[in-house]
C-alpha cells in the first residue's frame, strides 16, 4: 500500500526526487533497534559504520555483545577480539545517541571462573531518568 502511494506521488515528481523518497521511507526499516555483535564476525566494523552514518546512528537503542564462539567459527577470517578494540568501542558508544541498553553475554563457564555480577567501580553508568 505504501509503495502504491509512493508510485502515485512519483508520477508527479521528477526522476531525481523518486529515489530520495524511497530512501526516506526505507531508513526506518534498514536497521533493527537491537544490535547483536559477535566476535567471529566483524560486527564492530559494521557497528562503527552505522554509528558514523547521520541517519542510521539513531536507530540503535540496545546492544548485546555476545562473547560465545560457535564450534565451527574457524571460517578463515581472523577478527580481533572485542577487548582489543576498546578505543573504537568508546567512539561508537559516543556516537549512538539513543543507546539505552548494553548487555554482554558470556559463554558457559567450564573452568569455574567467577564472573562479576555487579558493575565495576569505574564503569560508566547511565543517567537516572528525570522525575516528574
Amino acid at each position: 500500500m505504501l509503495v502504491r502511494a509512493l508510485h502515485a506521488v512519483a508520477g508527479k515528481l521528477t526522476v531525481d526526487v523518486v529515489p530520495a523518497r524511497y530512501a526516506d521511507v526505507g531508513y526506518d526499516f534498514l536497521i533493527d533497534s537491537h544490535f547483536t555483535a559477535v566476535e567471529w564476525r566483524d560486527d564492530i566494523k559494521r557497528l562503527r559504520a552505522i554509528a558514523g552514518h547521520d541517519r542510521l546512528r539513531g536507530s540503535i537503542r540496545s546492544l548485546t555483545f555476545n562473547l560465545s564462539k560457535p564450534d565451527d567459527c574457524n571460517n578463515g577470517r581472523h577478527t580481533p577480539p572485542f577487548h582489543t578494540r576498546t578505543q573504537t568501542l568508546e567512539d561508537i558508544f559516543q556516537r549512538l545517541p539513543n543507546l539505552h541498553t548494553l548487555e554482554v553475554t558470556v559463554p558457559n563457564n567450564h573452568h569455574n571462573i567467577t564472573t562479576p555480577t555487579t558493575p565495576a567501580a569505574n564503569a560508566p553508568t547511565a543517567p537516572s531518568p528525570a522525575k516528574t
Side-chain angles (χ1 to χ4, degrees), residues 82-125:
F82 291 145
H83 73 275
T84 63
R85 303 171 84 179
T86 55
Q87 186 61 44
T88 301
L89 289 171
E90 184 178 331
D91 181 49
I92 288 170
F93 293 153
Q94 291 175 355
R95 293 175 160 212
L96 296 174
N98 295 328
L99 180 63
H100 297 289
T101 306
L102 179 62
E103 180 180 14
V104 177
T105 60
V106 294
N108 290 337
N109 189 348
H110 299 292
H111 303 289
N112 294 326
I113 299 170
T114 305
T115 55
T117 56
T118 57
N122 61 353
T125 57

Side-chain angles (χ1 to χ4, degrees), residues 14 26 29 47 57 61 74 86-87 93 114 118:
T14 65
F29 302 99
L47 189 59
R57 73 177 65 162
R61 300 184 185 288
N74 189 7
T86 55
Q87 186 61 44
F93 293 153
T114 305
T118 57

Side-chain angles (χ1 to χ4, degrees), residues 15-113:
V15 176
D16 294 335
V17 177
V18 174
R21 299 277 184 209
Y22 280 121
D24 286 342
V25 172
Y27 273 111
D28 294 335
F29 302 99
L30 284 176
I31 297 178
D32 192 30
S33 63
H34 179 79
F35 188 94
T36 300
V38 293
E39 285 185 327
W40 51 269
R41 290 188 309 229
D42 200 357
D43 284 340
I44 299 299
K45 183 177 180 181
R46 191 168 145 234
L47 189 59
R48 186 178 185 191
I50 292 168
H53 192 279
D54 290 338
R55 302 257 327 250
L56 297 179
R57 73 177 65 162
S59 300
I60 298 187
R61 300 184 185 288
S62 63
L63 178 59
T64 298
F65 287 99
N66 186 341
L67 301 181
S68 63
K69 294 182 184 351
D71 293 334
D72 60 348
C73 76
N74 189 7
N75 58 6
R77 295 190 305 178
H78 300 285
T79 58
F82 291 145
H83 73 275
T84 63
R85 303 171 84 179
T86 55
Q87 186 61 44
T88 301
L89 289 171
E90 184 178 331
D91 181 49
I92 288 170
F93 293 153
Q94 291 175 355
R95 293 175 160 212
L96 296 174
N98 295 328
L99 180 63
H100 297 289
T101 306
L102 179 62
E103 180 180 14
V104 177
T105 60
V106 294
N108 290 337
N109 189 348
H110 299 292
H111 303 289
N112 294 326
I113 299 170

